[in-house]
Each structure stands twice: as structure tokens, then as C-alpha cells.
Amino acid sequence: MLQIVFLPGFLGTAHEFLTFADKFSIGAQIISLPGSGCSDAEVDFTSVNDWLEEQLIGLKVKECILYGYSMGGRIATHYALTAERPKVKVKGLILESSCFGIADKAERKERFRNDKVWAEKFASGPMKDVVTEWYGQPVFADLDEEEKEKLILMRSRNIGERMARTLTGLSTGKMPYLGSLIKDTNFPLLYLYGENDVKYRELALKLAEARNPAITVTGISGCGHNIHMKKPEEIVLGISQYLEKNFS
């Protein structure tokens, strides 16, 4: 049976999708990322495909649509495009505010250096203080204080050392660049971005320029990077339309 499998972003857990994961015409599963929640898994981009496949098989998923937010989107994209002889068939991909790696080598190195700095903070600092600083970054500027406080409370339950390992192992600076492959994809791809998210809006518009009929790019007004928190009803609508178009 075809199912949607949700992957959250860095620091996120399965719980953040529970409010709408059951609102679709097909089944749904939610997987927390390595190091999050109760998981102490340590992976990088040489082992993440095996890790994800193990999770999917454990949930008895045989074919799926992968939904990934931010880091979860990078993992989903990597599996969908690079897994060799996968035991779980990916039939479609939905990405929320996620990138496909970095093409420029110098930029990749700089991103990894930056992620290592953050990893050192997570490994050594009080978790609540580091998480508070994390959500002070410009990419989260559209969140109001109440929303940030809610996220800080939830995310501070993670274990700093685990988060440090996840951030370095799955840094965008260590991800193979998959931008060219994603533009030529032949399975249905829905890309969701917040119209206030300058970085990912630019990425989305470049993806739309590929004019690949398998790709749908949708901007969500009134929000930035974290769409599913700000506009969950828009996520439900987008996924429902995607399923009706491609899998009805």
C-alpha cells in the first residue's frame, strides 16, 4: 500500500506532523531523524540511505511518497535519487523548504565550517541556550515570539551531543550536489516554499525554470522557512492536490 512518510527537520521529531498526517486519502508514517527523540543513530551521507531504508522496512513500508522538511528533505532527496537497488520504492517526493546540496566547492566548505561551529555549541552548551540562539537565525525571522518559545521548549528536549553528530554528519556541506538530478526527475515532485523565505524562494524559482512537467513548485504566502508550523492547512491542501493529480 502506498503511504506518505514524513521526515522532520533538524531538531524536529515525529510529533510535529501528528496534527495533519492522518488527513489524506492514503496511509502515513512519521520518522524522527537520526539523533532526535529516542534515537542515538549516528549517520552521514554514506550511510543515511541504509538508515532510512531500515526505518521504512521496520514500518512495513513497501512503496511511498517521501515528504521532507529542511534536513529531512535532504535525506529524502538523497534516498530517492541515489539509493542503489532500493528495497522500498519511492513513487513521489514532496519537499518543504529544502535544498539539493551546494554546487560550489568553496561554499560547501564554508557551510561545513559553519555547521561545525554550531555542532560545537550543541555539544558543549546548555541545550536551551543553544536552541534559543539557533532560532535567532535570520531564516526563522518570520516566527513570532510565541512560536519561537514553543519550538525552543520542544527542541530543548533533545540531547546536545547527538544533535552535534547529526549536524556534522548530515551537513549540507557534506551532501553531494543533486540539483541537476532533481531537475530531471521523472517521478512527481512537489516543492513547497514560504514566500517570505528569500533563500528558498530563489531556489524554488530556479527549480521551476527547469520546466519539467513532473515538478510542481508552490509558494505559500504569509510564512517563511517553517511552513508546516505556520500554515498547516496549506500543507494539507497542497498534499491533497498533489495526490489527486498524480495518484488518484
Side-chain angles (χ1 to χ4, degrees):
M1 180 181 72
L2 181 65
Q3 300 183 70
I4 302 178
V5 178
F6 291 89
L7 296 167
F10 179 66
L11 296 174
T13 66
H15 294 89
E16 63 194 74
F17 293 111
L18 290 177
T19 56
F20 59 78
D22 62 348
K23 298 186 181 299
F24 307 106
S25 58
I26 61 176
Q29 301 280 1
I30 311 172
I31 299 175
S32 291
L33 298 195
S36 296
C38 298
S39 170
D40 62 354
E42 184 174 353
V43 301
D44 56 25
F45 280 105
T46 66
S47 59
V48 72
N49 285 353
D50 292 337
W51 172 85
L52 179 55
E53 187 159 83
E54 182 180 327
Q55 307 307 306
L56 294 170
I57 291 172
L59 293 170
K60 296 181 169 50
V61 175
K62 295 183 178 179
E63 57 179 20
C64 65
I65 298 162
L66 291 176
Y67 181 110
Y69 164 63
S70 198
M71 179 182 280
R74 300 201 300 273
I75 294 172
T77 300
H78 192 267
Y79 182 83
L81 297 181
T82 72
E84 297 182 3
R85 297 180 295 279
K87 296 177 183 177
V88 179
K89 177 68 173 178
V90 177
K91 306 287 285 187
L93 191 61
I94 305 174
L95 302 176
E96 175 192 346
S97 307
S98 186
C99 74
F100 321 121
I102 301 171
D104 183 80
K105 290 183 179 180
E107 289 182 19
R108 279 205 302 271
K109 288 181 179 179
E110 180 58 31
R111 174 58 185 264
F112 185 62
R113 280 195 293 267
N114 184 63
D115 284 345
K116 282 186 69 176
V117 171
W118 275 108
E120 289 168 3
K121 292 180 180 181
F122 278 106
S124 60
M127 192 62 177
K128 185 175 181 180
D129 292 349
V130 182
V131 173
T132 299
E133 185 179 355
W134 178 265
Y135 283 106
Q137 295 181 93
V139 72
F140 301 113
D142 71 303
L143 298 174
D144 61 34
E145 290 306 311
E146 183 178 348
E147 290 165 337
K148 286 183 180 180
E149 284 300 318
K150 179 180 178 181
L151 283 173
I152 291 166
L153 179 63
M154 293 169 58
R155 306 303 193 237
S156 296
R157 297 168 185 165
N158 284 301
I159 297 173
E161 291 84 356
R162 292 178 180 176
M163 293 296 93
R165 293 197 300 267
T166 298
L167 187 56
T168 52
L170 296 174
S171 167
T172 309
K174 289 295 182 180
M175 180 182 181
Y177 178 64
L178 301 175
S180 299
L181 288 177
I182 200 75
K183 289 179 180 179
D184 293 331
T185 183
N186 58 8
F187 51 66
L189 166 65
L190 172 62
Y191 190 93
L192 301 165
Y193 70 96
E195 291 186 348
N196 296 338
D197 189 348
V198 176
K199 176 180 176 181
Y200 287 89
R201 182 179 67 212
E202 181 179 348
L203 183 71
L205 295 178
K206 288 182 179 178
L207 183 61
E209 289 174 0
R211 299 190 182 279
N212 182 338
I215 299 174
T216 301
V217 176
T218 301
I220 308 299
S221 63
C223 62
H225 193 65
N226 195 326
I227 305 169
H228 65 272
M229 179 177 180
K230 294 282 285 188
K231 295 289 185 76
E233 68 283 355
E234 296 288 344
I235 295 290
V236 172
L237 177 61
I239 294 175
S240 298
Q241 291 175 339
Y242 168 85
L243 292 175
E244 183 177 355
K245 176 183 177 181
N246 298 291
F247 298 98
S248 59

